[in-house]
Amino acid sequence: MKLAGLLSSISALGILALAAAPASAQTTDGATGAPNATIVIDGKQLPAPPQKFEGVINQLAQDSKPFWPARIAPRQGAPNVLLIMTDDVGYGAPSTFGGVIPTPALDRIANDGLRYTNFHSTALCSPTRAALITGRNHHSAGFGVVSEQATGYPGYNSIITEDKATIGRILLDNGYRTSWFGKNHNTPAFEASATGPFKQWPSGMGFEYFYGFMGGDTSQWQPGTLVRNTTYIYPYLGNPKWNLTTAMADDAISYMNQVNTLTPNQPFFLYYVPGGTHAPHHPTPEWIEKATNLHLFDKGWNELREQIFANQKKLGTIPQNARLTPWPDDLLKRWDALSDDERKMFKRQVEVYAAYLMYTDHEIGRVIQAVEDMGKLDNTLIIYISGDNGSSAEGTLVGTPNEVAMFNGVEVSVEDQLKYFYDVWGSDRTYNHMAVPWSWAFSTPFSWTKQIASHFGGTRQGMAISWPKVITDKGGIRQQFHHVIDIVPTILEAAGVAQPDVVDGIKQSPIDGVSMAYTFDKANANAPSTHKVQYFEMMGDHAIYNDGWMASSKVMRAPWQIQGGLGADPAKYPWELYDLRNDWTQAENVAAKYPEKVKEMDALFWQEAKTYQVLPLDATVATRMVTPRPSLTAGRSQFTWTTPLTGIPNGDAPSILNTSYTFKAEVEVPADGGDGMLITQGGRFGGYGLYILKGKPTFTWNLVDLKRVKWQSPAVLTAGKHVLEFDFKYDGLGMGTLAFASPSGIGRSGTGTLKVDGQVVATQAMPHTIPLILAFDESQDIGSDTGTPVDDQDYQTPFAFTGKIGKITLSIDRPQLTPADVEKLRAALAKAGDGPAPDETVGVNPIGGLSGVAARVEKLQDCRQQALAQNLTLFDRIKFVQSCAR
């Protein structure tokens, strides 16, 4: 699909009648050469060629005539643009689309403009965001998956190439003020260092001002990856009530007021993308109280689903003949089958989630109100997308107090959640997420959730658009099929700006999306969609839409099975077929009825896959996080630090997971033995630290906030110079086993030894190590600690070292597979075959083919009883249950 109709006049839409020059012409406003002159460029070449000097130059100034180049400005009457998108919000969550959670800001935009009920994402965070800001399909923009899973193929390397200028860059060079607030999940994880390169930071992608966090999610209480422009900042230090959700709205409002004061006639483009409601769910206590007092979830997730479905029909956000997809009894428990403890914990989880959505929407409302207070609402195009993908099922079947634990394959039982985390759920002591059945309910009326690209529970997003000056069909509903790649061409058409042919000397690839501006006109309320074909693909799961038909691969991995996919062959996934003209919710698979249509759609999918860089398909999920990729540390095994340094992101820090390593610190301490951090990575929810605690050298491994393993010298250091050493010998085969579709080499045991001046002071074995990832929003720090502590009982940040660092070194000894290891792994891979058969999967059976659920539940309960009888620690009890239940 190409950019269509962009250069048509706005009046042709039947919604504006402006005496504006066509976008292909250059026009000047004001006296030519005067200091206040402005020019509207044709926009085909960015930046625009230098303007010719048309004054007079003689030998003396008094005999000459000055001439100023005109300031580039958009066409007269071009709108401000406020592009808003929340995170991980299912179609049925907000009140605007039938949900029970109040979202008055989204309601406001919908009631003053239009509700879009057939709008789609990519099923995952950074891919949707790359598509949103470029107008290209996510694989075309290098984001087939999130940046943390990047692999070395053009569709998956997390690099937006220079032939795909963003909407920020295009509008900036056409005279807009541009800014970005909130989540930035489109900078490669290996280029997020404070030293750059900055070409793929917001400032390098055409956004003049950036205030937000780097990566997929962050604590709203202590965001360790918060950035202003290109500088990491820590405004929460010493301010325990600080919360990013409010701070971001404050900053955006301040920025808009500044722009309005200095350049009141210059339009702005503000991209506003808060962290809500991605995990961790971090509303303030006041919002938790508000949500709890509403008693929205007392009857459980099954009745909630029925209530949302009824609301949707009443609102008209689903057709009257739409069918509610069935509850997956072979996957998820029904509410009436739960114990009292389960109901109590699950209600707490969802009330905090609801509070977070309410809180996020409220702060968005403040930003919208600020636009009105400036007197600019009438000519502001506001696009509010509810979620960058469906509701997230990454909280496990029972929820989790720590999302980092989930991504490392650790599930925390309801019993332990109640005992240790219930009262602090949503505070900075949790990195929390809710149980999958709530997420499924918030996807009503569809099936599945985030990560699933083949079914609308993962990709259907509610969206509202208002433009008071233009859209007169207040509260109207639009049901045309559209996709996030359509937002860029829509904004360009509204602004009267052309897609450039060349940017910085580089020929631009065509925009894949089509404009939605035709839907603004009430006369086109029921016009056929201009978006005819759209592929979907995420981690092997895939689908193809073609003018009312949808071929969807059968879901072969449940999205809460994040370590699945090894060895799978997505090309062998069976097709399901849906006639969306008569089946709006994908409730009836008609593949058997229309085999020729299935063949036609299959051929179309592979054609689109080749066109848009979707190949090679890869069904792996979390294991891709440990894929070697470019970074400041790639190919290195020896590292040295001689001065304090903070804020090294995970993607640019040396990884010591699944390997042997040695830290050696040469330090000088004062008379009390010293105090403070030497080197750390991660924090409260997973990480390590080598530090001196009240004179005692200490090394701590925080195993996803469920257990801490500590090595400490019994003696206080004497004043003067010392050499501290921590050596860890890893017992596993390492990440090399992943090449053979085997996770057997990761997360294994090892033994750590702490030495002071060459003498062993502590030795301890670790039966398990962290296999995949440390805390997402923390960094590697030397000389102090940003973010959160690895052990709150030992210290609080910043915990600056009180002595002097001479030198800190890290030596990594990565395991190497022997020929015998390779032979065994190859044999195991061959025995496993080339991937799951049509009715098999990795980790979980496909929907419709499940069996033995009751037996598995009984087995799990038995394992938990065995663990309790052994009086194990919380962490060891969890690992025992996981091993026992296999």
Side-chain angles (χ1 to χ4, degrees), residues 557 562-569 573 618-624 737-744 746 829 832-836 841-843:
R557 175 193 62 84
I562 51 87
Q563 295 190 55
L566 287 171
D569 181 359
Y573 292 178
D618 184 347
T620 59
V621 188
T623 48
R624 263 194 267 190
T737 64
L738 297 177
F740 301 90
S742 171
S744 61
I746 63 176
L829 181 60
D834 59 355
T841 188
V842 178

Side-chain angles (χ1 to χ4, degrees), residues 64-297:
S64 303
K65 180 182 178 181
F67 184 95
W68 290 98
R71 178 175 60 84
I72 295 172
R75 62 165 176 81
Q76 187 69 29
N80 305 297
V81 181
L82 177 55
L83 176 57
I84 303 164
M85 185 168 66
T86 51
D87 201 326
D88 285 7
V89 181
Y91 184 79
S95 57
T96 318
F97 291 90
V100 301
I101 303 174
T103 49
L106 184 55
D107 290 346
R108 175 182 183 178
I109 301 306
N111 294 336
D112 199 33
L114 303 169
R115 282 175 174 84
Y116 288 80
T117 63
N118 202 355
F119 184 79
H120 300 83
S121 66
T122 70
L124 204 60
C125 302
S126 2
T128 291
R129 293 159 190 272
L132 178 65
I133 63 175
T134 66
R136 279 81 169 187
N137 283 305
H138 57 301
H139 294 87
S140 296
F143 275 90
V145 285
V146 296
S147 180
E148 293 84 351
Q149 294 176 297
T151 55
Y153 302 98
Y156 298 90
N157 60 17
S158 73
I159 297 171
I160 299 175
T161 51
E162 293 175 322
D163 63 336
K164 300 174 181 68
T166 72
I167 183 63
R169 176 62 193 278
I170 296 171
L171 293 183
L172 174 66
D173 281 6
N174 277 276
Y176 273 75
R177 296 276 65 82
T178 62
S179 57
W180 179 335
F181 294 85
K183 177 172 173 174
N184 168 25
H185 209 185
N186 291 124
T187 297
F190 47 85
E191 290 187 357
S193 161
T195 60
F198 300 119
K199 187 170 288 185
Q200 285 206 218
W201 284 52
S203 60
M205 292 191 283
F207 296 87
E208 297 172 295
Y209 181 78
F210 172 57
Y211 178 91
F213 60 95
M214 308 289 280
D217 63 35
T218 192
S219 167
Q220 299 297 295
W221 298 110
Q222 294 114 5
T225 56
L226 184 63
V227 169
R228 176 175 279 113
N229 295 322
T230 59
T231 301
Y232 284 94
I233 58 175
Y234 310 98
Y236 52 84
L237 288 174
N239 188 0
K241 292 186 178 181
W242 186 95
N243 189 291
L244 178 57
T245 306
T246 294
M248 192 176 87
D250 289 343
D251 206 86
I253 293 168
S254 174
Y255 173 82
M256 284 194 299
N257 284 325
Q258 182 182 43
V259 168
N260 188 52
T261 299
L262 297 175
T263 54
N265 296 321
Q266 191 168 21
F268 63 78
F269 170 64
L270 193 146
Y271 179 43
Y272 194 84
V273 279
T277 57
H278 197 294
H281 303 153
H282 279 170
T284 61
E286 296 82 4
W287 282 100
I288 294 176
E289 183 178 4
K290 288 179 183 180
T292 302
N293 290 340
L294 291 175
H295 296 283
L296 300 173
F297 309 104

Side-chain angles (χ1 to χ4, degrees), residues 367-527:
V367 175
I368 295 170
Q369 184 60 44
V371 177
E372 182 175 29
D373 292 344
M374 291 188 297
K376 292 196 168 185
L377 188 64
D378 188 53
N379 194 31
T380 297
L381 172 63
I382 300 179
I383 303 171
Y384 188 157
I385 305 170
S386 178
D388 56 356
N389 43 242
S391 190
S392 171
E394 294 157 357
T396 82
L397 294 174
V398 297
T400 181
N402 182 5
E403 189 192 23
V404 183
M406 181 279 300
F407 273 104
N408 283 292
V410 178
E411 182 179 287
V412 183
S413 70
V414 170
E415 177 188 16
D416 289 325
Q417 290 181 44
L418 282 169
K419 183 176 181 180
Y420 298 106
F421 301 105
Y422 182 89
D423 291 333
V424 294
W425 203 269
S427 74
D428 67 344
R429 299 295 154 160
T430 60
Y431 214 87
N432 51 308
H433 202 332
M434 63 190 173
V436 170
W438 291 123
S439 298
W440 197 288
F442 289 135
S443 294
T444 300
F446 309 109
S447 63
W448 294 105
T449 61
K450 175 184 177 180
Q451 295 188 29
I452 301 303
S454 59
H455 291 71
F456 291 147
T459 64
R460 182 67 61 85
Q461 311 304 142
M463 178 176 68
I465 298 180
S466 73
W467 186 1
K469 185 176 182 179
V470 169
I471 297 175
T472 59
D473 186 17
K474 309 295 186 183
I477 290 177
R478 300 293 184 265
Q479 294 190 1
Q480 291 89 348
F481 180 99
H482 279 286
H483 189 272
V484 287
I485 59 175
D486 299 335
I487 296 298
V488 165
T490 302
I491 293 172
L492 292 180
E493 182 166 353
V497 170
Q499 186 205 351
D501 293 331
V502 175
V503 176
D504 294 332
I506 297 173
K507 181 175 175 56
Q508 295 294 288
S509 70
I511 286 177
D512 298 329
V514 298
S515 174
M516 301 171 61
Y518 71 97
T519 66
F520 296 171
D521 189 347
K522 187 174 182 178
N524 292 327
N526 298 309

Side-chain angles (χ1 to χ4, degrees), residues 323 325-326 446-448 452-457 460 481 541-555 574-594 597-598 601 847-848:
R323 286 173 283 178
T325 54
F446 309 109
S447 63
W448 294 105
I452 301 303
S454 59
H455 291 71
F456 291 147
R460 182 67 61 85
F481 180 99
D541 187 68
H542 54 279
I544 183 75
Y545 169 86
N546 185 17
D547 204 14
W549 289 89
M550 183 90 159
S552 303
S553 65
K554 191 173 186 177
V555 178
W575 284 111
E576 299 169 348
L577 182 68
Y578 300 98
D579 179 1
L580 301 178
R581 301 166 302 175
N582 303 299
D583 177 19
W584 202 74
T585 62
Q586 296 178 297
E588 181 183 0
N589 175 16
V590 295
K593 187 176 180 180
Y594 300 103
K597 190 67 175 179
V598 172
M601 299 289 278
I847 189 168

